[in-house]
RNA sequence: CGGGGUGUAGCGCAGCCUGGUUAGCGCGCCUGCCUUGGGAGCAGGAGGUCCCGAGUUCGAAUCUCGGCACCCCGACCA
């Protein structure tokens, strides 16, 4: 008899509560004593570490190196770039005292590191021979948000920020474009999250950027989540921090810049993309544990035999290159463990009991579909890789299908309002490019232009709001 | 900052209106027995500044006043 203990709210009943229940019950994070802050627990941090490993490898492949810049930024740095300070100062934490004395100059806790990094780039860049400079840092940042949500928006969060300096507009532009595609590849290949890649409208771009590229994902409630951004900063920060170089003709030029980042928000994106009412679902490439083996036994003698088989299998699976655990605790019954590992999102579960052992088999259950199959014990390790691949692909395909099914092309304003306000999905409509039309949609529906997709074909059309000329459709949606 | 709500065991709550034995229930936790193929059962046990402060009273979780914290909804954002 299948008996489900209702530990988590169903998605159907209350999607946000479901999300919170998953985070807490899968032990990914917990609320910290400080408002808006969270503790990332080992289960959650392990996923972040897997993300870091994959991304860091991709950054190294594209020629980037890691460095670390200070947490504290002098107030005078923050105010140097006009748009930047306007965008960030309302959400900054500021240190006014240190060592028991009031500071001569206040220190901002970094909300992002452009300013302090460019103050250093000024020292390090003199010639075109010093370029490009391709640095990345893994760090924490603080943004004093009004409303916070575990992983999606917390006062302090972990991220990676790339900051590059280039000779020409073309080089910097190519870098911004290259990195947004790295993020796309990471989202799809590792997270199994399909994304729409595009450009932000001016209203949505980063404070201080010339333009911003982004990847937008669709969560299971059909709302959008910005999963990564890449900014072409032009010469804005070079001018603010007077960073010039001598070019190939001997002239002094301002340096062209980019910055790009993804954060622990990705863990939230991962949860809301794949998990179900039983708990967390993690794609194998990011799963801290690939396989959990659950021995089933009554007597001590049975325990001995079954555990022998379980640990032998563990060795084989481990030797095949997968992360595997045996849970031989006897204070919990197998049924309890089944539910527990489904909550934790382990992709594959192998059950070995006396009956299996008698016929030399084991039972494998996959987390994504719940499907159980019986396999000869000798074949289990060999089949693990194929099953994990199948889960990884299955999750991506399922997410792609969901995205396609909730992406609506419309030329009617009423339909657009209907789609975004009833949270049916993304609306793809023509937009004339005017901030006024964009603001009208936002005021009336709370939905924003998520991005102007790269792969959207040019076509003559009229703005869904004002009827003015438009050459391309954009994505409207409510967002996290 | 506006509107609403909640503070009682690790978690979720009841008790408060109508003050009065030792503050209770479910889950979890500990010990033992028994069980183990989808969250078993029984017995025993540990665990409390009833958010804080002042007041009323013989007596306050309960009534009064003041404070604090957190949550939800709206205005800002990766």
């Amino acid at each position: 008899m299948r008996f489900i203990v209702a530990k988590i709210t169903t998605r159907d009943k209350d999607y946000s509560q479901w999300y919170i229940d998953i985070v807490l019950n899968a032990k990914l994070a917990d609320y910290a004593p400080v408002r808006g802050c969270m503790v990332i627990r080992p289960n959650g941090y392990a996923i972040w570490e897997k993300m870091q490993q994959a991304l860091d490898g991709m950054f190294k492949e594209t020629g980037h190196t890691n460095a670390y810049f200070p947490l504290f930024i002098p107030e005078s740095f923050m105010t140097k770039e006009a748009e930047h300070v306007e965008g960030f100062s309302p959400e900054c934490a500021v240190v006014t005292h240190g060592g028991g004395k009031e500071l001569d100059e206040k220190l901002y806790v970094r909300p992002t590191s452009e300013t302090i990094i460019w103050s250093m780039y000024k020292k390090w860049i003199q010639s075109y021979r010093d370029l490009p400079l391709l640095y990345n840092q893994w760090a924490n940042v603080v943004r004093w948000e009004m409303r916070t949500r575990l992983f999606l928006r917390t006062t302090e969060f972990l991220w990676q920020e790339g900051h590059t300096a280039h000779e020409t507009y073309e080089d910097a532009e190519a870098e911004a474009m290259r990195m947004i595609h790295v993020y796309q590849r990471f989202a799809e290949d590792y997270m199994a999250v399909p994304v729409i890649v595009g450009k932000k409208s001016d209203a949505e771009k980063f404070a201080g950027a010339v333009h911003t590229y982004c990847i937008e994902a669709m969560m299971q409630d059909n709302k959008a989540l910005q999963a990564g951004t890449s900014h072409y900063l032009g010469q804005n920060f070079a001018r603010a921090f007077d960073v010039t170089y001598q070019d190939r003709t001997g002239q002094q030029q301002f340096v062209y810049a980019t910055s790009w980042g993804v954060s622990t928000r990705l863990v939230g994106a991962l949860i809301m993309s794949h998990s179900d009412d039983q708990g967390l679902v993690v794609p194998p490439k990011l799963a801290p544990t690939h396989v959990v083996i659950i021995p089933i036994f009554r007597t001590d003698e049975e325990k001995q035999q079954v555990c022998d088989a379980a640990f032998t299998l563990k060795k084989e699976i481990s030797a095949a290159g997968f992360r595997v655990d045996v849970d031989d605790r006897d204070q919990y019954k197998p049924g309890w463990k089944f539910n527990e590992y489904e909550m934790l999102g382990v992709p594959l579960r192998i059950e070995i009991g006396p009956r299996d052992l008698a016929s030399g088999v084991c039972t494998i259950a996959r987390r994504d579909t719940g499907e159980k199959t019986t396999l000869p014990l000798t074949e289990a390790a060999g089949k693990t890789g194929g099953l994990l691949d199948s889960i990884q692909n299955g999750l991506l395909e399922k997410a792609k299908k969901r995205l396609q099914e909730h992406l609506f092309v419309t030329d009617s304003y009423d339909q657009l309002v209907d789609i975004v306000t009833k949270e049916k999905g993304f609306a793809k409509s023509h937009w004339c490019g005017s901030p006024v039309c964009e603001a009208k949609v936002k005021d009336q529906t709370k939905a924003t232009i998520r991005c102007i997709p790269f792969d959207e074909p040019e076509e003559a059309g009229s703005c869904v709001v004002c009827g003015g000329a438009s050459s391309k459709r954009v994505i409207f949606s409510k967002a996290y």
Side-chain angles (χ1 to χ4, degrees):
Chain A
M1 190 176 90
R2 194 178 173 87
F3 177 58
I4 303 301
V5 177
K7 278 193 95 166
I8 55 179
T9 310
T10 60
R11 287 164 292 183
D12 215 31
K13 194 181 165 209
D14 183 345
Y15 190 81
S16 349
Q17 190 58 48
W18 166 80
Y19 173 78
I20 294 166
D21 288 351
I22 296 270
V23 171
L24 298 178
N25 284 295
K27 301 185 175 76
L28 299 174
D30 204 350
Y31 292 103
V34 180
R35 195 203 81 95
C37 292
M38 67 171 181
V39 175
I40 303 177
R41 302 179 69 179
N43 288 344
Y45 201 80
I47 293 174
W48 176 238
E49 284 181 317
K50 292 276 165 257
M51 290 178 167
Q52 284 184 300
Q53 280 167 19
L55 284 164
D56 204 63
M58 293 167 102
F59 299 157
K60 300 282 166 59
E61 276 170 26
T62 42
H64 301 87
T65 50
N66 286 330
Y68 186 80
F69 294 81
L71 171 69
F72 297 124
I73 300 177
E75 183 172 38
S76 57
F77 285 21
M78 284 302 296
T79 55
K80 277 190 178 173
E81 212 287 329
E83 256 187 51
H84 191 70
V85 66
E86 194 190 331
F88 280 107
S89 53
E91 49 179 316
C92 284
V94 181
V95 180
T96 57
H97 289 74
K101 282 189 285 191
E102 186 164 352
L103 300 173
D104 290 339
E105 181 173 7
K106 291 176 192 164
L107 295 175
Y108 278 50
V109 178
R110 65 179 162 223
T112 178
S113 302
E114 273 76 5
T115 59
I116 198 151
I117 286 179
W118 280 84
S119 76
M120 296 307 294
Y121 280 5
K122 178 179 168 59
K123 291 175 70 173
W124 300 334
I125 297 171
Q126 278 99 42
S127 150
Y128 71 90
R129 296 179 195 277
D130 298 323
L131 298 173
L133 207 58
L134 305 175
Y135 288 0
N136 176 66
Q137 86 164 342
W138 291 96
N140 59 336
V141 287
V142 167
R143 296 183 187 176
W144 217 263
E145 303 291 353
M146 294 179 183
R147 194 165 162 212
T148 56
R149 289 169 65 97
L150 294 166
F151 286 112
L152 300 176
R153 184 172 298 103
T154 47
T155 300
E156 180 189 10
F157 58 94
L158 306 183
W159 79 347
Q160 139 299 293
E161 47 181 327
H163 295 274
T164 68
H166 305 264
E167 273 185 84
T168 64
Y169 157 77
E170 287 79 11
D171 289 353
E173 176 57 35
E175 168 77 0
M177 194 63 87
R178 174 169 69 161
M179 297 320 289
I180 202 64
H181 285 109
V182 164
Y183 290 153
Q184 175 186 21
R185 189 152 59 85
F186 173 75
E188 294 181 353
D189 291 356
Y190 286 84
M191 296 176 64
V193 171
V195 291
I196 295 175
V197 194
K199 187 180 163 180
K200 284 289 186 193
S201 67
D202 283 351
E204 298 287 325
K205 77 178 167 69
F206 174 75
V210 175
H211 54 246
T212 290
Y213 299 132
C214 64
I215 54 173
E216 295 283 329
M218 185 188 282
M219 303 296 99
Q220 290 183 65
D221 61 350
N222 306 328
K223 281 164 76 174
L225 187 130
Q226 178 174 308
T229 51
S230 169
H231 316 290
Y232 167 66
L233 302 172
Q235 294 173 310
N236 291 350
F237 285 92
R239 285 181 207 279
F241 287 88
D242 190 33
V243 184
T244 60
Y245 73 100
Q246 194 166 26
D247 71 13
R248 289 162 203 258
T249 67
Q251 303 294 306
Q252 287 296 316
Q253 301 274 359
F254 284 115
V255 174
Y256 291 86
T258 81
S259 68
W260 28 273
V262 295
S263 71
T264 38
R265 167 177 256 206
L266 290 178
V267 177
L270 193 74
I271 296 164
M272 288 203 290
S273 293
H274 306 304
S275 299
D276 59 25
D277 294 344
Q278 316 304 330
L280 187 68
V281 175
V282 187
K285 284 190 187 175
L286 295 176
T289 301
H290 289 131
V291 185
V292 62
I293 303 174
I294 303 193
I296 297 159
F297 48 82
R298 272 190 210 83
T299 61
D300 283 350
E301 191 188 350
E302 277 177 355
K303 178 176 180 182
Q304 177 76 43
Q305 291 168 346
V306 164
C307 285
D308 279 353
F311 282 103
T312 302
L313 182 58
K314 176 185 172 173
K315 260 187 212 156
E316 291 170 13
I317 293 174
S318 184
F322 303 104
R323 298 181 285 272
V324 53
D325 283 329
V326 174
D327 186 349
D328 61 350
R329 292 177 296 176
D330 50 15
Q331 71 264 42
Y332 295 111
K333 292 174 56 173
W336 188 93
K337 293 178 185 175
F338 297 168
N339 286 289
E340 182 68 6
Y341 289 102
E342 279 165 14
M343 183 68 78
L344 297 176
V346 178
L348 286 177
R349 180 184 71 236
I350 298 182
E351 306 163 16
I352 304 179
R355 292 208 299 272
D356 294 313
L357 221 50
S359 42
V361 298
C362 63
T363 303
I364 299 192
R366 46 191 284 175
R367 177 63 183 88
D368 59 336
T369 59
E371 187 191 348
K372 279 192 187 190
T373 49
T374 302
L375 273 184
L377 266 170
T378 49
E379 290 177 23
K383 298 258 169 135
T384 301
L387 277 167
L388 291 172
D389 286 347
S390 165
I391 293 173
Q392 183 81 30
N393 295 333
L395 290 174
L396 178 62
E397 287 311 313
K398 198 170 151 193
K400 273 186 182 168
K401 185 160 176 270
R402 200 182 71 238
L403 176 59
Q404 285 311 315
E405 286 172 355
H406 298 276
L407 193 59
F408 303 101
V409 175
T410 180
D411 293 316
S412 145
Y413 185 75
D414 289 345
Q415 267 181 28
L416 181 146
V417 170
D418 189 60
I419 292 161
V420 300
T421 56
K422 291 180 183 162
E423 290 171 17
K424 292 175 179 170
F426 294 178
K428 219 158 59 160
S429 301
H430 276 286
W431 172 56
C432 63
S434 158
V436 177
C437 294
E438 183 181 12
K440 186 183 167 193
V441 175
K442 188 175 181 182
D443 290 345
Q444 295 190 348
T445 67
K446 310 268 187 236
T448 50
I449 295 177
R450 299 319 303 155
C451 73
I452 306 158
F454 290 153
D455 63 4
E456 192 63 21
E458 298 270 333
E459 61 172 39
S462 44
C463 177
V464 72
V465 183
C466 72
S470 159
S471 61
K472 216 174 180 185
R473 289 178 185 278
V474 303
I475 305 284
F476 288 91
S477 172
K478 281 199 191 172
Y480 277 97

